[in-house]
Amino acid sequence: MKKLVLTFFIVLLASLNLSNGTETKAAIRKVTVLFGDSNTAGSNWVANHYYSSAKWANRLLQTRPVFNAGVGGNSTGMARQRFTRDVLNKNPKTVIIMFGTNDAQIMNSNSLPRTSKANFNKNVRYFVDSLRARKINVILMTALPVIEGGKGHYYSRNREALYKPYGGAREWHDSYNDITRTIARQKGVPLIDTYRIFLQYAGGNTDQALTDSGLYDPSGIHMSMYGADVLYQTVQKTLELKRM
């Protein structure tokens, strides 16, 4: 009888320890990781003398623990090399992914995109599949529409002629966004369509409308503090709606 009682308590303690371990692991899995390039990192903030607190990543800190894994200049290929370290190792509850601006850039040196559409598709799918396999929430985001012409804007750093066959840089970039939209639809993950949201706020799909919108800094590819606020409001609403 004593052996039976002793065995019962050993089994009970083991189950309690297992439960505590599981609950502890679940409890610490609260962080939201933001995985992207300069528009996630806020790389333009210092140069423009913007308030650090106005970054959309920092605004999210008001309601949840956040790790900003944005790195300026990153393509999905570059980001894939740090995916385990900067994302998976953080044991996140939710990951928000925004790439495309650097992937779609057609290089002046060889007239080829930095990342082919096929590889962009593979990389984004890899991120989504890896996260969902670990039961981590995923939100995909499209890249911003670029302001093409004008002083300091996209064509001041990139050859306009390379984009003409595709209807211009903005349309070319949006063709990469189409890949992101397709993956979100096929995988059944939420999509924040930043590209279309910014066009809607600007009231048109022209350089003039985007410039006048106040959503951009002087580069024409990065958000202003106002643009960051628009994005923050959308992200926060999505997180609340999806209970992530």
Side-chain angles (χ1 to χ4, degrees):
M1 182 67 179
K2 289 182 179 179
K3 287 184 178 180
L4 286 173
V5 172
L6 180 61
T7 301
F8 171 78
F9 278 110
I10 290 172
V11 172
L12 178 61
L13 285 171
S15 65
L16 287 173
N17 287 335
L18 180 61
S19 175
N20 286 338
T22 303
E23 289 173 3
T24 301
K25 187 174 182 181
I28 64 173
R29 199 161 127 172
K30 294 179 179 178
V31 69
T32 296
V33 172
L34 313 180
F35 190 44
D37 51 33
S38 56
N39 274 309
T40 298
S43 305
N44 60 318
W45 243 239
V46 173
N48 290 303
H49 306 290
Y50 293 158
Y51 297 117
S52 177
S53 58
K55 288 184 180 182
W56 68 276
N58 292 347
R59 296 280 302 280
L60 286 175
L61 278 168
Q62 298 170 9
T63 57
R64 68 193 63 245
V66 171
F67 178 74
N68 190 342
V71 174
N74 257 203
S75 64
T76 52
M78 297 163 73
R80 187 164 174 166
Q81 296 174 16
R82 61 185 180 88
F83 180 61
T84 298
R85 182 193 71 216
D86 287 353
V87 180
L88 297 182
N89 286 354
K90 303 303 177 185
N91 192 33
K93 176 184 178 182
T94 301
V95 177
I96 303 175
I97 302 172
M98 179 169 65
F99 289 101
T101 299
N102 297 304
D103 294 273
Q105 182 185 18
I106 298 178
M107 308 303 291
N108 295 336
S109 57
N110 59 11
S111 302
L112 295 174
R114 183 181 292 190
T115 307
S116 69
K117 288 185 180 180
N119 284 335
F120 181 76
N121 181 54
K122 287 178 184 176
N123 290 336
V124 177
R125 287 180 184 274
Y126 170 77
F127 298 146
V128 173
D129 290 343
S130 298
L131 293 167
R132 293 186 72 192
R134 292 163 174 78
K135 301 188 184 307
I136 297 169
N137 299 320
V138 182
I139 296 174
L140 289 178
M141 298 174 69
T142 57
L144 279 62
V146 299
I147 301 176
E148 298 171 339
K151 184 179 179 181
H153 292 157
Y154 197 76
Y155 289 150
S156 67
R157 300 176 297 277
N158 300 275
R159 287 168 52 196
E160 181 177 359
L162 297 176
Y163 297 90
K164 279 190 174 180
Y166 310 105
R170 195 156 50 247
E171 292 300 315
W172 172 249
H173 280 233
D174 198 35
S175 68
Y176 277 71
N177 287 334
D178 280 339
I179 295 171
T180 302
R181 294 180 185 112
T182 297
I183 294 171
R185 184 174 65 253
Q186 291 178 345
K187 299 292 183 179
V189 301
L191 173 74
I192 295 175
D193 202 335
T194 315
Y195 185 95
R196 290 174 178 167
I197 291 168
F198 271 44
L199 291 183
Q200 182 178 1
Y201 268 81
N205 187 5
T206 65
D207 280 357
Q208 192 63 55
L210 292 169
T211 300
D212 293 345
S213 70
L215 294 165
Y216 291 81
D217 80 347
S219 71
I221 62 171
H222 296 120
M223 287 176 282
S224 65
M225 287 193 291
Y226 172 55
D229 178 63
V230 168
L231 187 57
Y232 160 73
Q233 298 291 345
T234 306
V235 172
Q236 181 65 18
K237 192 176 296 184
T238 301
L239 288 167
E240 291 173 356
L241 183 65
K242 300 297 181 180
R243 297 182 180 180
M244 292 182 176

